[in-house]
Amino acid sequence: RPVWNRGNDSGVPQRLRASRDRTLLATATDGVIAVDADGREIWRINVDNGLCSNSISKLAYDGKGTVWGATDNGVFSISVFEIYTHFTEKEGLRGQISCITKSGPTLLVGTFQGLYRQEGQRFTQVSNVTHPCWQMAQGSGGTLYVATSDGVYQYSNGTARQQTNQFALSILAMDDGSY
């Protein structure tokens, strides 16, 4: 990625200084790019990760962390100091989200199409949990219990084992290891 300085501003209709060390670039074709004081890219938001258009004509900063932008396809609002992202089917996450939790360092998402585990910037389905997930509960010792339309699953260390095969809509993990 290039260092964004005044030398490559063709296609940058506006530079907006949001803080001493953060400048936002409104670009004609690449969305909004945040750069540090040396012109190095910090983050970029465009249509691929949630913006309504890549053609930005004007930015306005409210002084409190929110930037408003005008595009050829609508108006948007973003937080300057947080990195925005989203996860959809493109990143491997399928189905309506019904529950979400962390198990150790791993983010797990239950959907109407199964249980998914975050691996970097992608989600992978936990292979044997393919039915709707309704609720998750953290048990003792790092074990996670998942209530699904196909029964209760116990998730630990990257694998899920089926505990029951009766429909389970909700679950409560007990201190003694039972549920």
Side-chain angles (χ1 to χ4, degrees), residues 2 9 22 26 54 67 75 78 99 111 146 172:
D9 270 2
R22 178 102 19 119
N54 282 339
V67 170
V75 175
I78 59 175
C99 50
T111 77
V146 184
L172 172 66

Side-chain angles (χ1 to χ4, degrees), residues 17-64:
R17 188 166 182 177
S19 69
R20 197 170 24 93
D21 64 343
R22 178 102 19 119
T23 299
L24 301 180
L25 309 177
T27 72
T29 58
D30 292 321
V32 177
I33 300 170
V35 297
D36 64 15
D38 296 323
R40 290 185 304 257
E41 185 174 318
I42 300 168
W43 53 257
R44 176 185 302 230
I45 185 166
N46 54 35
V47 295
D48 291 336
N49 56 10
L51 211 54
C52 57
S53 172
N54 282 339
S55 180
I56 314 302
S57 56
K58 183 74 175 159
L59 296 174
Y61 181 51
D62 71 358
K64 299 176 185 172

Side-chain angles (χ1 to χ4, degrees), residues 114-164:
L115 182 64
Y116 292 84
R117 159 180 66 240
Q118 185 180 15
E119 296 176 355
Q121 294 300 306
R122 303 228 8 109
F123 276 83
T124 335
Q125 188 166 28
V126 176
S127 62
N128 58 330
V129 186
T130 58
H131 291 79
C133 296
W134 302 110
Q135 187 179 21
M136 294 185 272
Q138 194 73 45
S140 61
T143 299
L144 183 72
Y145 295 98
V146 184
T148 78
S149 296
D150 191 38
V152 172
Y153 286 81
Q154 181 183 31
Y155 178 89
S156 182
N157 299 321
T159 59
R161 291 179 304 166
Q162 192 169 16
Q163 304 295 300
T164 71

Side-chain angles (χ1 to χ4, degrees), residues 75-105:
V75 175
F76 66 87
S77 158
I78 59 175
S79 174
V80 177
F81 300 106
E82 295 183 30
I83 297 173
Y84 167 82
T85 191
H86 71 268
F87 295 99
T88 63
E89 193 168 337
K90 287 181 183 178
E91 293 79 30
L93 191 58
R94 291 179 191 77
Q96 181 177 331
I97 309 299
S98 52
C99 50
I100 186 168
T101 193
K102 284 192 93 165
S103 180

